[in-house]
């Protein structure tokens, strides 16, 4: 069988300086949410002159750039997210964020640069592509459901035959790709519970109904629920991250509020946990003379990698970069990703790319969402090369 992937790393190395420049320009001007017009303009400038068709939708500043090969065959989608996080950067980089309260602390600037790199590589090889490549530049990944909006706007309609995404990991071995079949990342839902009692004077709690100890009982009961009602083979993680009640030291408040997150690895567990929480909290509150309102706002679904796509990705990585460049993950990560919306409709996979500095102790590096996160930009060439290799190989062979 002809090796379709052998030249991509060398070709990607040649364009690495351009990718670094683009990444740094995006890093200097991070944007939040669904509207990233400055980032979009930089992407369009970087893609100018390439044989691409652009599609944009009304809900976001997302862009799908389509490359059509000379033959009508399969279609493959490659995705990179665009938005930043609401953080104050503390990296000391020469190209540090110039936007107050925003920072690319999740590597989306590198994701854009790698996807632009892949577009350049594949456009140069257009004559040998027996199908179509869609480059999905997506805003609003950080909790804003950008992929769902782009799907709703019909930007990737008709759907492709496969979809792939890369996500950098700054505290992982340099240049190593990782993935797994099945759940890769968890669903993520927001949990809020409002416990209502009766306020009063702190010196006379018997004349009031104090919601604070009731709220604390609910927190403890939730942890017991997880260990006793949830199978370890289909897990859930429930974290109460905020408790708010009261105004001063001598007043029993009327309400106490709990705020947290629910993470699960299957739709069944997600639904079961929600039902259990809606039963548990009101029952505990009622036992103490209070009421409890439970609200669960659904976030991203579980990111599930198709087994064929995961195995395909491993083969392409090993044949392009060698067997040492691949790591099969033992278990999922309990973070969440809105590429899950694409994978609900299209068979595909997401892979991690270790971006620690070469030769460093990757275990000591700051992780994703840290305002001190830094990475080795050299890995962007690997990411662009893998995007291109995945696309070309899939168009020629499918999942194989």
């Amino acid at each position: 069988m002809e090796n379709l992937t052998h030249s991509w790393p060398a070709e990607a190395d040649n364009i690495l300086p351009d990718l670094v420049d683009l990444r740094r320009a995006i890093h200097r001007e991070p944007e939040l949410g669904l509207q990233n017009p400055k980032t979009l303009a930089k992407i369009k400038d970087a893609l100018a002159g390439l044989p691409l068709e652009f599609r944009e939708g009304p809900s976001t500043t997302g862009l799908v750039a389509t490359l059509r090969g000379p033959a009508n065959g399969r279609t493959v989608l490659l995705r990179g997210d665009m938005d930043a996080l609401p953080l104050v950067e503390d990296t000391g980089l020469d190209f540090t964020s110039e936007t107050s309260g925003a920072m690319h602390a999740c590597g989306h600037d590198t994701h854009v640069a790698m996807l632009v790199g892949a577009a350049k590589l594949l456009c140069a090889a257009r004559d040998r592509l027996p199908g179509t490549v869609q480059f999905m530049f997506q805003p609003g990944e950080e909790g804003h459901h950008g992929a769902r909006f782009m799907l709703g706007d019909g930007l990737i309609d008709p759907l492709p035959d496969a979809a792939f995404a890369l996500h950098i990991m700054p505290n992982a071995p340099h240049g190593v790709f990782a993935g797994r079949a099945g759940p890769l990342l968890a669903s993520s839902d927001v949990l809020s519970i409002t416990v209502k009692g009766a306020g009063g004077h702190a010196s006379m709690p018997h004349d009031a109904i104090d919601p604070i100890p009731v709220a604390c009982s609910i927190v403890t009961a939730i942890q017991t629920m997880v260990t006793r009602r949830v199978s370890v083979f289909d897990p859930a993680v429930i974290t109460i991250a905020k408790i708010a009640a009261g105004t001063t030291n001598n007043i029993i408040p009327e309400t106490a509020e709990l705020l947290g997150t629910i993470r699960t690895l299957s739709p069944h567990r997600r639904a079961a946990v929600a039902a259990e929480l809606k039963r548990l909290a009101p029952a505990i509150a009622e036992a103490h003379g209070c009421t409890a309102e439970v609200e669960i706002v659904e976030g991203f679904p579980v990111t599930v990698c198709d087994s064929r796509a995961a195995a395909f990705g491993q083969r392409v990585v090993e044949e392009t970069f060698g067997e040492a460049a691949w790591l099969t993950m033992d278990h999922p990560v309990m973070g969440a990703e809105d590429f899950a919306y694409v994978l609900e409709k299209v068979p595909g996979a997401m892979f991690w790319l270790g971006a620690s500095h070469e030769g460093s102790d990757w275990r000591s590096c700051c992780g994703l969402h840290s305002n001190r996160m830094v990475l080795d930009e050299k890995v962007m060439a690997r990411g662009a090369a893998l995007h291109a290799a995945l696309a070309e190989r899939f168009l020629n062979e499918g999942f194989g």
Side-chain angles (χ1 to χ4, degrees):
M1 181 183 299
E2 179 187 1
N3 185 349
L4 299 171
T5 63
H6 68 280
S7 65
W8 292 123
E11 293 176 26
D13 284 339
N14 290 335
I15 63 171
L16 179 59
D18 293 338
L19 307 190
V20 169
D21 288 345
L22 176 59
R23 183 251 169 166
R24 293 184 178 186
I26 294 171
H27 192 93
R28 287 190 188 95
E29 294 188 288
E31 297 175 291
L32 306 177
L34 296 170
Q35 302 300 320
N36 303 166
K38 294 178 180 179
T39 307
L40 177 61
K42 292 179 179 68
I43 293 168
K44 287 183 174 179
D45 286 346
L47 298 177
L50 298 178
L52 297 167
E53 303 167 13
F54 290 171
R55 295 180 73 179
E56 300 176 60
S59 301
T60 76
T61 52
L63 171 71
V64 175
T66 300
L67 171 64
R68 302 187 188 279
N72 291 324
R74 301 179 182 92
T75 298
V76 61
L77 180 143
L78 305 174
R79 178 270 209 164
D81 36 5
M82 301 161 58
D83 57 321
L85 283 160
L87 288 173
V88 177
E89 182 165 353
D90 185 22
T91 61
L93 295 171
D94 293 340
F95 51 93
T96 191
S97 170
E98 298 173 359
T99 304
S100 177
M103 175 194 172
H104 273 289
C106 200
H108 297 184
D109 49 350
T110 66
H111 300 172
V112 170
M114 292 189 297
L115 192 57
V116 166
K120 291 182 175 183
L121 294 174
L122 289 165
C123 283
R126 177 181 177 275
D127 290 345
R128 69 174 192 257
L129 298 180
T132 300
V133 186
Q134 296 174 322
F135 304 93
M136 180 182 181
F137 296 92
Q138 181 222 303
E141 192 282 325
E142 295 294 350
H144 297 276
H145 305 270
R148 189 185 71 193
F149 281 109
M150 290 184 70
L151 284 163
D153 286 344
L155 297 187
I156 55 173
D157 183 21
L159 293 171
D161 298 295
F164 298 98
L166 292 178
H167 200 304
I168 61 97
M169 183 67 79
N171 51 342
H174 175 91
V176 173
F177 296 94
R180 71 188 306 273
L184 179 74
L185 291 130
S187 63
S188 176
D189 301 326
V190 177
L191 169 66
S192 60
I193 302 174
T194 301
V195 181
K196 187 174 182 179
H201 199 290
S203 69
M204 293 175 280
H206 55 284
D207 290 332
I209 303 176
D210 191 346
I212 293 178
V214 179
C216 293
S217 294
I218 291 172
V219 174
T220 302
I222 288 173
Q223 304 312 312
T224 303
M225 182 199 87
V226 170
T227 62
R228 289 297 176 265
R229 301 284 294 169
V230 176
S231 168
V232 296
F233 302 107
D234 188 10
V237 173
I238 305 176
T239 297
I240 300 300
K242 180 181 179 182
I243 301 178
T247 56
T248 189
N249 70 296
N250 63 348
I251 298 174
I252 292 174
E254 184 174 284
T255 61
E257 297 180 349
L258 308 177
L259 182 66
T261 183
I262 307 167
R263 309 285 174 138
T264 62
L265 293 174
S266 73
H268 166 77
R269 181 59 60 210
R270 190 184 196 186
V273 164
E276 191 77 8
L277 288 167
K278 291 176 181 178
R279 181 194 65 80
L280 180 74
I284 292 174
E286 183 180 5
H288 293 276
C290 293
T291 61
E293 296 180 0
V294 179
E295 181 182 10
I296 297 173
V297 179
E298 287 196 350
F300 303 156
V302 183
T303 302
V304 181
C305 297
D306 184 273
S307 59
R308 297 166 301 163
F312 170 81
Q314 178 178 351
R315 289 197 303 272
V316 174
V317 167
E318 291 178 346
E319 292 174 12
T320 307
F321 302 102
E323 291 185 7
W326 175 261
L327 174 66
T328 298
M329 299 167 61
D330 293 329
H331 52 76
V333 174
M334 296 305 284
E337 239 287 348
D338 81 343
F339 189 56
Y341 290 117
V342 176
L343 295 183
E344 283 186 324
K345 298 179 178 296
V346 180
M350 171 177 275
F351 306 115
W352 301 101
L353 170 56
S356 60
H357 280 84
E358 193 167 11
S360 68
D361 178 8
W362 57 267
R363 295 175 183 84
S364 66
C365 297
C366 291
L368 297 173
H369 291 215
S370 166
N371 67 339
R372 297 184 180 183
M373 190 204 82
V374 294
L375 51 84
D376 191 335
E377 293 171 317
K378 293 194 296 293
V379 302
M380 292 193 297
R382 281 203 156 203
L386 181 63
H387 269 313
L390 290 168
E392 184 188 29
R393 184 71 168 268
F394 181 80
L395 293 184
N396 277 277
E397 303 173 9
F399 289 129

